[in-house]
C-alpha cells in the first residue's frame, strides 16, 4: 500500500526542541547536564505488526482509518520510518522513587517522535515506548514486552473514556523480536514478545523534569524549562513571574487532586507514584504495575515491589500525591524564594482534596450533599467480606428506595452480586448492611430524588466496565499466542464504560477464582 496523504501531512512543529539540547547524539549511556533532552533515533525492528489502534486518537491527529491500517502506519509507529518533520528525542528527568531521590532517570525507553498541530489546533506529542535504547536507559535495554504494552495501550484508552485525565495511546505494534525479562526478579529470565506503544499527550513533562535541574543547582536551566512550560501549556496564567510561578504550582496541585479523585472514584491504583511518574499536566502517566480494585481493600497495592511498605496502596494515593507536590515545591523554591506561599498551597491541598473527594463520594452514592457518616459507614461495611467495588456501586443504583413494602433482604438483593462469597457474610454483617441501607434510603428520600434520576446520575460516575486485572491478562494470554481479538474487543468495550452493553455482561462480572493469585492479575512487578 502506498503512503496516504494525511499521515505524511502530519504537521510537526516540535516546540520542545527550542529548549537546550544535549550536544551529544546517540544512545550511549551518560549523564546529561544543562539540557532537557537528547536526540536519539528509534532502533529498527525486524517485523512490526499492528495489533491495534485507537481510532479516536487517530482521528484527533488527523490520521484516517485507512491510513491506520496501512503499512506506512505500522512502519512509522514501530519506529522504523520517520516522517518528514519528525526529530526523535528522549527527555532528561530525575525523580524520587519510593521516597528516595534517585538522580537522573530520563526516557530510558521512550522516544518522542515529534509534536504535531492537530486539525482542531491541539498541540500533541507522539511518543514511542519500547523503541530502543536512549542515553537514559542506564543498565536496561530500552524495550518493552507485549504484556506491559497491552496493559498500557488498553488502560490509557479505558481511563480516557472513564473521564480520568490521562495520556492517550494511538497504536500498539509487536516488533517481531524477543525481549528477555525476569518477570519476578527470581533468576528465571524468559523470552517474551517485544512491542511498542505510541503514546500521545500535550506534554510528557514530569515533576522529575524540574526536580533534576534543581537538585543539580542548575537554576538557569530550571528557569528556562519552567518558563517554557508556562508559556506553552499554561499560557492562561500570564507571562512567567514569581506570582505566576505560584499560580502555576497551585494549578498543578489542583490538577493532581482532580486526577487522584478520579482514580479513587473508579478504583484505580497507579502502583508506582514516583515523582518521575507524575505528569506536570495532572495526567495519569506511565502505566506499569497498576491495578483495579476488585474486592474493596483500601490497603491493596498491585505492585510486588511495594508489597512490604504499601506506599502506593489505594488509600494512600492522595497523601503520596501531596508528598510528590512537596518535592516539586522544593524544586521550584529557588525561582520563588518564598517558602510561605508554597507551603500555603501545599496545606490548601488537604481541604481542596477533601472538598472534591466528598463531592465525588456523594455522587457515587447518588446524593446531592455529602454525608460523612453514611460514607464512612459504607467504607467499613465494604470491608466486612470480599466485596467487588465496581459491582457494588453500580448495583446500588438499582436498590429500590421508593418502595416501602420491601423487607431488608429484598431491599438488599440487588447488591448480593457484589459479594465474592455471599456465605461469608454473617447474619450480624447482614444486619449491619441492612441498617446502613435503611439509613441510605432515608437520606436519599430526604433529598427528594427518585429512583430513576438517582440511577441515571449514579450510572454516570460508577462505571459498569473497567479494565479488570484478569481481563487484561486474558487479552495478554491470547495476544502472546498471536490472537489480538480480545485486545480489540476490550478496547471497544471500554469506549463506553458507563453504558449497560447487555451483550457484554460477561466482562462486568467478578474476578474468577483462578485469577485470585495469578501473576498479572493480582500481583504485578515493575518488570515490563
Ligand atoms: P518506571 O518505573 O517504569 O517509571 O521507570 C523508571 C525509569 O527506568 C525510567 O527512567 C524509565 O525510562 C526506565 N526504564 C524502565 N524500564 C526500562 C527499560 N526496559 N529500558 C530502559 N529504561 C527503562
Ligand atoms: Mg516512568
Amino acid at each position: 500500500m502506498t503512503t496516504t496523504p494525511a499521515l505524511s501531512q502530519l504537521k510537526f512543529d516540535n516546540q520542545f526542541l527550542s529548549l537546550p539540547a544535549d550536544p551529544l547524539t546517540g544512545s550511549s549511556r551518560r549523564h546529561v547536564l544543562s539540557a532537557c533532552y537528547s536526540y536519539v533515533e528509534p532502533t529498527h525492528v525486524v517485523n512490526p505488526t499492528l495489533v491495534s489502534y485507537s481510532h479516536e486518537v487517530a482521528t484527533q491527529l488527523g490520521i484516517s482509518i485507512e491510513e491506520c491500517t496501512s503499512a506506512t502506519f505500522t512502519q512509522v509507529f514501530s519506529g522504523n520510518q520517520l516522517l518528514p518533520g519528525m526529530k526523535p528525542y528522549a527527555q532528561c528527568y530525575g525523580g524520587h522513587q519510593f521516597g528516595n531521590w534517585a538522580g537522573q532517570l530520563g526516557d530510558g525507553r521512550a522516544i518522542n517522535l515529534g509534536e504535531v498541530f492537530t486539525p482542531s489546533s491541539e498541540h500533541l506529542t507522539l511518543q514511542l515506548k519500547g523503541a530502543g535504547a536512549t542515553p537514559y536507559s542506564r543498565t536496561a535495554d530500552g524495550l518493552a514486552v507485549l504484556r506491559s504494552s497491552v496493559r498500557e495501550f488498553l488502560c490509557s484508552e479505558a481511563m480516557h473514556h472513564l473521564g480520568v485525565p490521562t495520556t492517550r495511546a494511538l497504536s500498539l505494534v509487536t516488533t517481531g523480536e524477543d525481549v528477555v525479562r525476569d518477570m519476578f526478579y527470581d533468576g528465571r529470565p524468559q523470552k517474551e514478545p517485544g512491542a511498542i506503544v505510541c503514546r500521545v499527550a500535550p506534554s510528557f513533562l514530569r515533576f522529575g523534569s524540574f526536580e533534576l535541574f534543581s537538585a543539580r543547582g542548575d537554576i538557569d536551566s530550571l528557569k528556562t524549562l519552567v518558563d517554557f512550560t508556562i508559556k506553552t501549556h499554561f499560557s492562561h496564567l500570564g507571562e512567567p513571574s514569581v506570582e505566576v510561578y505560584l499560580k502555576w504550582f497551585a494549578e498543578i496541585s489542583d490538577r493532581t487532586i482532580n486526577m487522584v479523585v478520579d482514580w479513587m472514584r473508579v478504583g484505580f491504583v497507579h502502583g508506582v507514584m514516583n515523582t518521575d511518574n507524575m505528569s506536570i499536566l495532572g495526567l495519569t502517566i506511565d502505566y506499569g504495575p497498576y491495578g483495579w480494585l476488585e474486592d474493596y481493600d483500601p490497603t491493596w497495592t498491585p505492585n510486588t515491589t511495594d508489597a512490604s511498605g504499601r506506599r502506593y496502596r489505594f488509600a494512600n494515593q492522595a497523601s503520596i500525591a501531596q508528598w510528590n507536590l512537596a518535592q516539586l515545591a522544593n524544586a521550584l523554591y529557588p525561582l520563588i524564594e518564598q517558602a510561605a506561599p508554597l507551603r500555603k498551597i501545599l496545606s490548601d491541598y488537604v481541604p481542596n482534596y477533601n472538598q472534591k473527594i466528598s463531592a465525588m463520594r456523594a455522587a457515587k452514592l447518588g446524593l446531592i450533599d455529602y454525608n460523612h457518616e453514611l460514607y464512612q459507614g459504607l467504607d467499613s461495611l465494604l470491608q466486612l467480606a470480599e466485596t467487588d467495588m465496581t459491582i457494588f456501586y453500580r448495583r446500588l443504583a438499582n436498590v429500590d428506595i421508593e418502595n416501602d413494602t420491601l423487607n431488608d433482604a429484598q431491599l438488599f438483593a440487588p447488591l448480593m452480586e457484589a459479594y465474592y462469597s455471599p456465605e461469608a457474610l454473617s447474619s450480624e454483617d447482614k444486619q449491619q448492611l441492612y441498617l446502613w441501607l435503611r439509613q441510605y434510603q432515608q437520606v436519599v428520600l430526604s433529598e427528594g430524588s427518585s429512583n430513576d434520576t438517582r440511577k441515571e446520575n449514579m450510572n454516570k460516575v460508577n462505571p459498569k466496565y473497567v479494565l479488570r486485572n484478569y481481563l487484561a491478562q486474558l487479552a495478554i494470554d491470547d495476544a502472546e499466542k498471536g490472537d489480538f481479538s480480545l485486545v480489540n474487543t476490550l478496547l471497544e468495550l471500554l469506549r463506553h464504560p458507563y453504558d449497560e452493553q447487555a451483550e457484554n455482561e460477561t466482562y462486568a462480572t467478578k474476578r474468577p477464582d483462578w485469577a485470585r493469585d495469578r501473576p498479572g492479575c493480582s500481583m504485578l512487578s515493575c518488570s515490563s
Side-chain angles (χ1 to χ4, degrees), residues 233-491:
H233 302 289
F234 296 81
S235 57
H236 55 278
L237 297 177
E239 281 299 304
S241 65
V242 169
E243 196 190 324
V244 167
Y245 296 153
L246 286 166
K247 281 192 195 158
W248 176 55
F249 182 61
E251 183 167 335
I252 298 165
S253 176
D254 268 356
R255 290 189 189 203
T256 304
I257 289 174
N258 293 341
M259 173 186 79
V260 174
V261 167
D262 272 329
W263 292 357
M264 303 307 284
R265 173 171 63 84
V266 299
F268 177 80
V269 191
H270 183 284
V272 218
M273 291 176 72
N274 293 332
T275 58
D276 52 303
N277 291 337
M278 296 292 292
S279 146
I280 207 71
L281 300 182
L283 305 173
T284 313
I285 194 172
D286 281 10
Y287 291 87
Y290 69 81
W292 294 83
L293 277 194
E294 285 170 335
D295 59 294
Y296 183 73
D297 173 4
T299 70
W300 185 65
T301 174
N303 184 354
T304 49
T305 314
D306 190 29
S308 52
R310 295 187 180 229
R311 179 180 172 86
Y312 299 139
R313 64 188 181 274
F314 180 68
N316 212 28
Q317 300 192 107
S319 320
I320 289 294
Q322 189 194 23
W323 189 89
N324 289 341
L325 284 160
Q327 307 318 306
L328 180 61
N330 283 337
L332 300 180
Y333 175 79
L335 299 184
I336 296 168
E337 292 185 318
Q338 299 166 43
L342 284 168
R343 239 185 252 128
K344 167 96 171 72
I345 295 166
L346 285 172
S347 61
D348 285 348
Y349 176 97
V350 176
N352 289 346
Y353 178 79
N354 285 339
Q355 191 250 321
K356 285 181 176 164
I357 193 125
S358 300
M360 179 279 275
R361 287 171 171 163
K364 274 187 91 61
L365 293 175
L367 301 177
I368 299 163
D369 291 321
Y370 177 61
N371 182 319
H372 189 65
E373 194 197 327
L374 195 66
Y375 177 78
Q376 284 305 321
L378 179 62
D379 193 75
S380 35
L381 291 178
L382 290 178
Q383 297 171 63
L384 283 177
E386 268 187 294
T387 316
D388 193 276
M389 174 182 169
T390 305
I391 298 178
F392 188 95
Y393 278 102
R394 186 75 182 186
R395 292 247 168 173
L396 187 60
N398 296 344
V399 169
D400 186 355
I401 292 298
E402 290 167 29
N403 187 343
D404 55 13
T405 67
L406 299 181
N407 66 28
D408 287 345
Q410 288 168 327
L411 191 67
F412 187 71
L415 297 170
M416 282 309 272
E417 186 57 34
Y419 289 88
Y420 278 84
S421 324
E423 65 284 0
L425 287 173
S426 66
S427 56
E428 200 178 300
D429 294 342
K430 281 188 187 154
Q431 286 312 315
Q432 287 191 59
L433 284 159
Y434 296 160
L435 193 64
W436 182 87
L437 213 46
R438 291 294 176 192
Q439 286 167 352
Y440 175 65
Q441 185 176 33
Q442 273 176 15
V443 176
V444 171
L445 289 174
S446 74
E447 287 193 341
S449 54
S450 69
N451 276 338
D452 288 348
T453 24
R454 185 175 55 96
K455 179 168 174 163
E456 196 184 319
N457 291 333
M458 287 173 80
N459 285 0
K460 286 181 195 155
V461 292
N462 296 322
K464 169 123 181 182
Y465 300 98
V466 294
L467 184 60
R468 289 174 177 275
N469 311 310
Y470 84 89
L471 291 176
Q473 189 56 45
L474 288 175
I476 290 164
D477 290 344
D478 287 354
E480 287 181 343
K481 290 181 211 128
D483 174 1
F484 305 132
S485 54
L486 191 52
V487 171
N488 285 297
T489 302
L490 293 180
L491 179 67

Side-chain angles (χ1 to χ4, degrees), residues 29 93 97-98 104-110 129-130 132-134 136-144 179 181 206 270 272 274 276-277 286-289 526-528:
R29 314 305 196 260
Y93 55 79
Q97 297 186 315
F98 295 91
Q104 178 183 301
L105 297 166
D107 286 334
R109 54 166 166 180
K129 183 167 175 180
T134 78
Y136 310 99
S137 300
R138 296 178 288 161
T139 56
D141 54 13
L143 305 175
V179 174
R181 287 288 180 268
R206 298 126 195 281
H270 183 284
V272 218
N274 293 332
D276 52 303
N277 291 337
D286 281 10
Y287 291 87
C526 286
S527 157
S528 56

Side-chain angles (χ1 to χ4, degrees), residues 36-283:
C36 296
Y37 60 93
S38 307
Y39 288 106
V40 61
E41 300 220 340
T43 302
H44 194 274
V45 298
V46 289
N47 186 21
T49 306
L50 183 67
V51 173
S52 187
Y53 62 92
S54 158
H55 67 77
E56 277 116 1
V57 178
T59 305
Q60 199 179 352
L61 291 166
I63 305 176
S64 72
I65 303 309
E66 296 71 47
E67 288 167 319
C68 290
T69 48
S70 69
T72 307
F73 184 90
T74 303
Q75 289 297 324
V76 168
F77 295 108
S78 62
N80 275 359
Q81 184 185 328
L82 294 179
L83 294 174
M86 281 181 173
K87 286 202 115 193
Y89 64 95
Q91 289 190 11
C92 181
Y93 55 79
H96 277 86
Q97 297 186 315
F98 295 91
N100 303 305
W101 176 243
Q104 178 183 301
L105 297 166
D107 286 334
R109 54 166 166 180
I111 297 183
N112 301 278
L113 293 174
E115 298 158 52
V116 289
F117 260 117
T118 70
S120 54
S121 299
E122 284 168 292
H123 189 252
L124 297 171
T125 300
L126 304 177
Q127 181 185 80
L128 300 183
K129 183 167 175 180
T134 78
Y136 310 99
S137 300
R138 296 178 288 161
T139 56
D141 54 13
L143 305 175
V145 293
L146 181 57
R147 85 185 129 78
S148 65
S149 306
V150 166
R151 284 168 51 82
E152 170 129 26
F153 176 76
L154 285 179
C155 202
S156 22
E157 289 307 281
M159 292 284 266
H160 168 76
H161 293 294
L162 284 164
V164 185
T166 178
T167 61
R168 302 291 302 270
L170 169 66
S171 57
L172 168 62
V173 297
T174 49
T175 59
E177 294 177 14
D178 287 335
V179 174
V180 176
R181 287 288 180 268
D182 184 0
M183 185 166 36
F184 281 101
Y185 308 116
D186 59 0
R188 289 185 298 165
Q190 288 191 350
K191 283 185 187 169
E192 298 188 44
I196 298 173
V197 172
C198 178
R199 310 198 287 192
V200 178
S203 167
F204 289 95
L205 282 167
R206 298 126 195 281
F207 289 10
S209 311
F210 303 88
E211 284 179 276
L212 183 60
F213 289 131
S214 202
R216 287 171 168 172
D218 182 356
I219 308 310
D220 287 347
S221 300
L222 174 69
K223 184 172 185 324
T224 304
L225 181 61
V226 167
D227 290 359
F228 168 87
T229 307
I230 292 172
K231 286 183 185 155
T232 312
H233 302 289
F234 296 81
S235 57
H236 55 278
L237 297 177
E239 281 299 304
S241 65
V242 169
E243 196 190 324
V244 167
Y245 296 153
L246 286 166
K247 281 192 195 158
W248 176 55
F249 182 61
E251 183 167 335
I252 298 165
S253 176
D254 268 356
R255 290 189 189 203
T256 304
I257 289 174
N258 293 341
M259 173 186 79
V260 174
V261 167
D262 272 329
W263 292 357
M264 303 307 284
R265 173 171 63 84
V266 299
F268 177 80
V269 191
H270 183 284
V272 218
M273 291 176 72
N274 293 332
T275 58
D276 52 303
N277 291 337
M278 296 292 292
S279 146
I280 207 71
L281 300 182
L283 305 173

Side-chain angles (χ1 to χ4, degrees), residues 56 161 465 491-501:
E56 277 116 1
H161 293 294
Y465 300 98
L491 179 67
E492 186 55 32
L493 171 86
L494 295 167
R495 289 178 60 228
H496 304 285
Y498 299 101
D499 291 357
E500 278 301 315
Q501 304 193 46

